[in-house]
Amino acid sequence: MSTETILIMGANGQIGLELAENLRGIYGENNVISADIKDLKNPAGIYEQLDVMDKDRMYEVIKKYKVTQVYLLAALLSATAEQKPKSAWNLNMEGLFNVLDAAKDGIIKKVYWPSSIAVFGPTTPMENTPQYTVMEPNTIYGISKQAGERFCEYYHQKYGVDVRSIRYPGLIGYKSAPGGGTTDYAVHIYHEALKTGTYECFLSEHTALPMMYMPDAIRATIELMDAPAEKVKIRSSYNLGGISFDPSQIAAEIKKHIPDFTITYKPDFRQAIADSWPKSIEDTRAREDWGWNPKYDLASMTQDMLDNLK
Ligand code: SER
């Protein structure tokens, strides 16, 4: 029997849905609790309606199930956060404080919190961005992730909180839909390619960004959470490289499978967000510290995405 009980908050989101499925496979149906702000009629497993900003309710759920690990995935992403700066800041920070406090108060043992390539900004070196570098994010989302990283490290150093984090690149998967991000085009493009044979991209042709296929991202997350504490030397957040490509490159890859596929470009406000982020990420620390090794490239991801979406 598993000695861990896991609570996933923001479990209905792009990462949460896939992570919950994987964690249930590892820890068993009864040891993974999904929670989200929405009330679900037919949840896939044990489910609680929970607003991460409601600390009392969060503590109640943690105690009810004797939760040992929390994955906090509830957040507003980059594009949405630019539209609602105040509520994005409040949600992204308040939820994190409540979870870090639960660990500090000793009612949970381990915390996972996702950071993002959005912690970097226009003054950051854009190619092979290193773990430690200039970080001046200029989006609300990036500012909240940067501040969050500082708090994670602080809670670890001051209070010994076992918090672990990855700076996710754009995440691409077929099982769940992204929402409100700048990298979402790289998911939409596959759906539209199959459905209509054409896609209008909200980023320009040569906007390269770091991306990752969901199976790699989920595996990285679980491997980091499983690593012995002494191997997790970075308690702000780990760089993770993945695959770097621009819209023209993913379109060319899709054309190998769907020869008539066409793409047009109509950049909107998300272009400026993308322009402030790195084009590629250097991740030797994750490789050295806990053995990270990605499996998918653009070709194998595209093959798998199209096979599964068909
Ligand atoms: N994929 C996210 C976004 O585009 C970045 O973490 O907002």
Side-chain angles (χ1 to χ4, degrees):
M1 217 189 89
S2 169
T3 53
E4 300 292 340
T5 304
I6 295 171
L7 173 62
I8 305 169
M9 296 191 279
N12 295 343
Q14 189 195 12
I15 303 170
L17 284 168
E18 290 214 23
L19 192 62
E21 187 184 303
N22 276 269
L23 289 174
R24 284 200 191 97
I26 298 168
Y27 291 97
E29 293 285 331
N30 292 329
N31 297 306
V32 179
I33 295 97
S34 289
D36 207 294
I37 194 152
K38 278 176 236 124
D39 193 12
L40 279 197
K41 293 277 169 282
N42 298 304
I46 303 174
Y47 185 85
E48 290 279 342
Q49 185 181 11
L50 169 62
D51 177 352
V52 296
M53 291 168 72
D54 184 345
K55 191 173 183 174
D56 291 342
R57 169 92 180 112
M58 186 190 286
Y59 275 47
E60 188 187 301
V61 171
I62 288 171
K63 285 175 182 162
K64 176 176 169 188
Y65 295 98
K66 300 189 172 62
V67 169
T68 57
Q69 300 184 14
V70 167
Y71 288 71
L72 171 61
L73 307 174
L76 288 193
L77 295 196
S78 60
T80 318
E82 290 306 294
Q83 314 297 323
K84 303 184 211 169
K86 262 273 167 61
S87 40
W89 173 261
N90 289 341
L91 172 67
N92 293 3
M93 298 312 295
E94 205 60 43
L96 178 59
F97 291 145
N98 289 342
V99 172
L100 289 176
D101 280 341
K104 179 183 166 220
D105 293 343
I107 65 164
I108 53 173
K109 291 191 302 196
K110 224 189 251 187
V111 174
Y112 181 80
W113 174 79
S115 186
S116 160
I117 53 164
V119 290
F120 300 113
T123 52
T124 300
M126 295 281 175
E127 304 274 359
N128 280 319
T129 302
Q131 175 73 36
Y132 298 108
T133 183
V134 178
M135 294 167 93
E136 295 183 315
N138 65 356
T139 62
I140 290 295
Y141 178 68
I143 295 167
S144 74
K145 288 297 183 190
Q146 165 69 332
E149 285 193 7
R150 298 289 84 225
F151 274 98
C152 287
E153 192 177 283
Y154 185 88
Y155 269 68
H156 177 72
Q157 285 176 358
K158 279 265 171 183
Y159 311 119
V161 167
D162 189 353
V163 55
R164 304 168 182 214
S165 176
I166 287 169
R167 290 173 181 153
Y168 289 127
L171 298 181
I172 298 162
Y174 59 87
K175 291 185 184 171
S176 55
T182 301
T183 55
D184 296 9
Y185 90 85
V187 179
H188 298 154
I189 193 169
Y190 288 111
H191 288 265
E192 290 304 312
L194 287 167
K195 216 167 29 176
T196 66
T198 181
Y199 179 66
E200 183 181 271
C201 187
F202 59 75
L203 298 181
S204 67
E205 196 173 352
H206 297 304
T207 309
L209 287 169
M211 302 277 186
M212 182 170 277
Y213 196 34
M214 198 59 99
D216 271 343
I218 298 292
R219 187 168 56 80
T221 308
I222 294 172
E223 283 177 9
L224 173 61
M225 283 298 270
D226 280 350
E230 65 276 10
K231 295 213 165 179
V232 185
K233 297 193 183 103
I234 293 174
R235 298 298 184 146
S236 51
S237 192
Y238 276 95
N239 270 15
L240 222 58
I243 320 163
S244 283
F245 57 81
D246 65 28
S248 74
Q249 289 167 313
I250 190 173
E253 198 58 45
I254 291 172
K255 261 172 117 44
K256 291 180 188 166
H257 303 264
I258 307 170
D260 292 337
F261 175 66
T262 55
I263 183 166
T264 56
Y265 301 94
K266 197 176 173 203
D268 65 14
F269 74 99
R270 289 169 280 194
Q271 183 66 44
I273 300 176
D275 287 341
S276 77
W277 290 352
K279 298 182 188 307
S280 56
I281 300 280
E282 190 272 321
D283 64 3
T284 38
R285 287 301 304 265
R287 290 168 191 263
E288 284 169 11
D289 287 2
W290 44 276
W292 172 239
N293 190 14
K295 288 206 177 120
Y296 285 90
D297 59 15
L298 181 57
S300 53
M301 175 179 76
T302 299
Q303 175 85 56
D304 205 59
M305 276 296 281
L306 294 173
D307 285 350
N308 281 288
L309 286 175
K310 269 180 213 156

